Amino acid sequence: MKELWIITIYGFVVGVVGTGLGGLASLFIRNTDRTLSFLLGLTGGFMLFIVTFHLLPESFILGGLYISIIGIILGILLVVFVENHIENIVKNPLMKSSLLLGISIAVHNFPEGLALGSSFLMGSNLGPVLSLAMLLHNIPEGLSMAIPLKVGKKSPLKIIFYTILTGIPTGIGAFLGAYVGMISNTFISLCLSFAGGTMLYIISDEIIPSAKTLHKGRASSIGIIMGFVIGIILYF
């Protein structure tokens, strides 16, 4: 039982510290339209890489084509449902983008937590190594969520608080992964493709259009390309 709680603490630290550091980093960014347009583009490009080379390929491997397609469709339907119900509550489009992106990051942090919890049961040093890798790659994800909040002029405390929240599902997933052991591959595949569908829709409908609206020049396009390339560097 003691080991279970240690694994769970690992999961919460990986999720909360990783995304929280991304939120903290956003506070030191210059607040000009061109810079923020570039950073929104960077967010879109990075998240596009996550979907294309991380979430969906893993989903295809674990659950096959049809499970992945079902997950993508369900993810898109969730975003459309949430959009329709928060439009009257959240008037700021950038705040809406950040909220939706936060949901998608939280959704995909859950199966990562499952994988992390299961990895500690394998009797090697895979768990701690995977923890460090996940913590590092959660930083740019936290930054990706924080940028729309910063553009929307949210307070520093709210930015850090919201980014920290998205890391919590990693700890919940780590607990379940360690408690149950090997979770069904089909379930993990569905979670990954579900997160991929939500992100794909948000990138196309919210992040990239907002970046172009903020500044009409090439800053956002350069940001998208650089974000995609940074994703390649971080993951390979």
Side-chain angles (χ1 to χ4, degrees):
M1 182 60 71
K2 182 181 176 182
E3 185 177 291
L4 175 63
W5 289 111
I6 291 172
I7 294 170
T8 303
I9 289 168
Y10 261 100
F12 277 111
V13 169
V14 165
V16 168
V17 173
T19 53
L21 284 174
L24 183 64
S26 73
L27 305 183
F28 301 96
I29 292 167
R30 289 179 60 200
N31 203 16
T32 66
D33 285 350
R34 179 180 290 180
T35 301
L36 294 173
S37 173
F38 168 78
L39 289 168
L40 274 178
L42 198 74
T43 293
F46 178 75
M47 302 315 288
L48 194 59
F49 168 83
I50 294 289
V51 172
T52 309
F53 287 97
H54 177 51
L55 297 180
L56 296 186
E58 288 184 24
S59 177
F60 292 143
I61 291 168
L62 292 172
L65 177 63
Y66 296 113
I67 293 295
S68 300
I69 295 297
I70 290 169
I72 292 169
I73 293 170
L74 290 175
I76 292 170
L77 290 175
L78 172 71
V79 178
V80 173
F81 175 81
V82 172
E83 267 189 328
N84 290 337
H85 285 77
I86 67 171
E87 278 181 350
N88 296 326
I89 302 169
V90 182
K91 301 295 184 183
N92 188 326
L94 288 163
M95 181 62 183
K96 186 174 73 172
S97 298
S98 185
L99 175 62
L100 293 171
L101 190 57
I103 291 171
S104 68
I105 291 172
V107 168
H108 109 254
N109 277 345
F110 177 70
E112 286 191 353
L114 291 175
L116 180 63
S118 299
S119 72
F120 277 94
L121 305 179
M122 295 181 181
S124 66
N125 66 342
L126 178 61
V129 171
L130 191 59
S131 296
L132 179 60
M134 284 185 177
L135 189 149
L136 291 174
H137 99 242
N138 277 345
I139 295 174
E141 290 182 6
L143 185 61
S144 298
M145 183 191 172
I147 294 302
L149 289 172
K150 185 175 177 67
V151 176
K153 296 181 169 54
K154 290 296 169 185
S155 70
L157 282 177
K158 283 186 177 180
I159 291 173
I160 293 173
F161 176 70
Y162 289 141
T163 52
I164 283 174
L165 279 182
T166 62
I168 290 175
T170 308
I172 298 171
F175 171 80
L176 291 175
Y179 186 76
V180 179
M182 295 304 293
I183 308 290
S184 162
N185 283 348
T186 300
F187 176 71
I188 294 176
S189 170
L190 194 64
C191 287
L192 290 171
S193 58
F194 185 88
T198 61
M199 282 192 189
L200 202 55
Y201 184 88
I202 295 161
I203 294 162
S204 304
D205 189 59
E206 301 281 346
I207 300 295
I208 293 176
S210 294
K212 280 294 180 187
T213 302
L214 199 60
H215 180 72
K216 300 298 182 184
R218 297 188 181 92
S220 60
S221 299
I222 294 169
I224 292 166
I225 295 166
M226 286 188 64
F228 201 85
V229 172
I230 287 170
I232 294 171
I233 293 168
L234 288 176
Y235 279 82
F236 287 101

